[in-house]
Amino acid sequence: IVILSGDHLYRMDYMKFVQRHRETNADITVAAIPCDEKRASDFGLMKIDKTGRINDFAEKPKGAALEEMKVDTTILGLTPGEASEKPYIASMGIYVFKKEVLIDLLNEKMPTANDFGSEIIPEAAEDMRVQAYLFNDYWEDIGTMKSFFEANLALAQHPPRFEFYDALNPIFTSPRFLPPAKVYNCQVSDAIISHGACLEDCEVDNAIIGLRSRVGKGVKIQDAMLMGADYYESEDLRSKLLAEGKVPIGIGDGSLIQNTIVDKNARVGKNCVLVNKAGVEEANLEEDGLYIRSGIVTVLHDATIPDGFTI
């Protein structure tokens, strides 16, 4: 049984993962990736013997406990230079179990357990055959606002660290049957513009422009992510909203969007400035339709930001 996580970005051939599990006759196989010290405490860390069997496991250790989990990662096939930069073996949070082992752990040995990484895997490693499977390629945990934002923007870089456009191993999205994007008289660099978007007389740099996004004249979008919209507003409705002093879906004329995520169906008025000028790390401003996490401004789903708003 293969256990996967829903908030990771990577490309793996799971059959190789399963085959390694079978070859080693493991009860559990844990996908592992070499890790540097800066990020090590964010993950479950392990030590292995020369056969790849896990003999120690610590969930998100810090301080002295983190130092204790350092290993010589040349055992994973890394060069001495790579091993020096990445002296930890981190769990990717994906596993292969023998079916009977998983059933026994969940029903008999650990019926109250709620988490694989912090409860089941450390306990199982004490008396079961738990093996590590090396994955030394691109992998990103996008479970935090910062990592989600950075991983998405990295897709627009050239060349990107992770590539969706792989002819041999393509990754598909669900079909939406939308028209192509429209880009009128815009300056665009290092960006991904999704289907159904409409941009006019604007600048886009290092950004993701989501489905059905509307970007008005004189707008500058830099280091930002627009999630787009779930539906279109007709031109008649947009004109009516503007005539009434209201804000249609999208980014209004003359606005500056930087270091920001704009969630779906959000309405940003004209001449707004969303850049986090004060460099605030954390703030709850839900009454204004936004909050700040890890320094990143996030406009909430369905929120309305009035004309001239600045943060």
Side-chain angles (χ1 to χ4, degrees):
I1 296 177
V2 180
I3 308 292
L4 303 176
S5 175
D7 58 359
H8 297 166
L9 179 62
Y10 64 105
R11 179 186 281 106
M12 177 189 284
D13 184 341
Y14 294 123
M15 285 310 301
K16 292 181 179 179
F17 189 17
V18 172
Q19 185 60 33
R20 181 61 179 169
H21 175 75
R22 290 170 174 165
E23 288 172 354
T24 58
N25 193 31
D27 294 311
I28 306 169
T29 302
V30 181
I33 190 165
C35 183
D36 59 29
E37 187 164 354
K38 182 179 179 181
R39 303 183 63 195
S41 61
D42 293 334
F43 305 111
L45 302 181
M46 63 190 82
K47 291 182 178 180
I48 61 175
D49 64 19
K50 61 183 180 181
T51 69
R53 183 170 181 172
I54 298 171
N55 52 34
D56 195 5
F57 193 97
E59 181 68 6
K60 299 181 180 179
K62 291 179 171 57
L66 175 62
E67 191 68 20
E68 281 291 315
M69 296 305 295
K70 272 189 177 180
V71 296
D72 180 5
T73 49
T74 57
I75 194 172
L76 298 174
L78 274 66
T79 66
E82 291 173 328
S84 176
E85 293 177 2
K86 298 178 178 180
Y88 297 95
I89 304 174
S91 168
M92 294 171 61
I94 61 177
Y95 317 99
V96 181
F97 283 80
K98 285 183 177 177
K99 181 179 178 180
E100 61 274 16
V101 169
L102 181 59
I103 291 172
D104 182 56
L105 283 168
L106 296 180
N107 290 341
E108 304 298 332
K109 293 185 177 179
M110 304 186 70
T112 61
N114 294 310
D115 187 76
F116 283 106
S118 63
E119 297 177 276
I120 292 175
I121 300 302
E123 181 75 17
E126 292 184 5
D127 57 5
M128 292 184 176
R129 187 172 185 83
V130 183
Q131 293 285 137
Y133 172 77
L134 173 66
F135 181 77
N136 193 17
D137 204 338
Y138 180 91
W139 175 81
E140 189 64 58
D141 183 332
I142 53 175
T144 67
M145 190 68 73
K146 183 177 176 65
S147 61
F148 173 78
F149 184 60
E150 292 178 347
N152 272 280
L153 291 188
L155 296 173
Q157 295 173 358
H158 185 72
R161 292 178 58 207
F162 181 81
E163 180 63 270
F164 281 104
Y165 306 94
D166 186 320
L168 298 179
N169 302 286
I171 294 178
F172 299 101
T173 188
S174 57
R176 294 180 175 87
F177 309 109
L178 290 170
K182 291 182 180 181
V183 181
Y184 301 109
N185 193 33
C186 299
Q187 183 176 323
V188 179
S189 59
D190 295 337
I192 294 175
I193 300 175
S194 301
H195 289 88
C198 183
L199 293 77
E200 185 175 3
D201 291 311
C202 63
E203 295 181 36
V204 179
D205 179 32
N206 190 39
I208 305 293
I209 308 298
L211 296 164
R212 304 184 188 89
S213 290
R214 293 293 299 258
V215 181
K217 295 179 181 180
V219 170
K220 183 173 182 179
I221 298 174
Q222 183 174 7
D223 306 326
M225 183 176 180
L226 310 186
M227 300 294 286
D230 292 314
Y231 55 90
Y232 286 116
E233 289 178 331
S234 69
E235 291 303 319
D236 286 344
L237 176 58
R238 293 178 67 84
S239 297
K240 182 174 183 292
L241 289 171
L242 289 170
E244 294 173 353
K246 297 178 181 178
V247 182
I249 286 177
I251 310 300
D253 294 352
S255 291
L256 170 61
I257 311 296
Q258 185 175 355
N259 192 42
T260 296
I261 299 172
V262 179
D263 205 349
K264 275 191 171 183
N265 307 330
R267 304 166 186 269
V268 178
K270 296 179 181 179
N271 302 310
C272 294
V273 178
L274 306 181
V275 300
N276 190 10
K277 284 184 176 180
V280 176
E281 278 296 305
E282 305 288 330
N284 291 321
L285 303 169
E286 295 187 29
E287 67 280 3
D288 293 323
L290 52 84
Y291 56 73
I292 299 174
R293 294 288 183 273
S294 301
I296 302 162
V297 177
T298 301
V299 179
L300 302 178
H301 189 282
D302 288 323
T304 298
I305 307 299
D307 293 350
F309 183 90
T310 297
I311 189 171

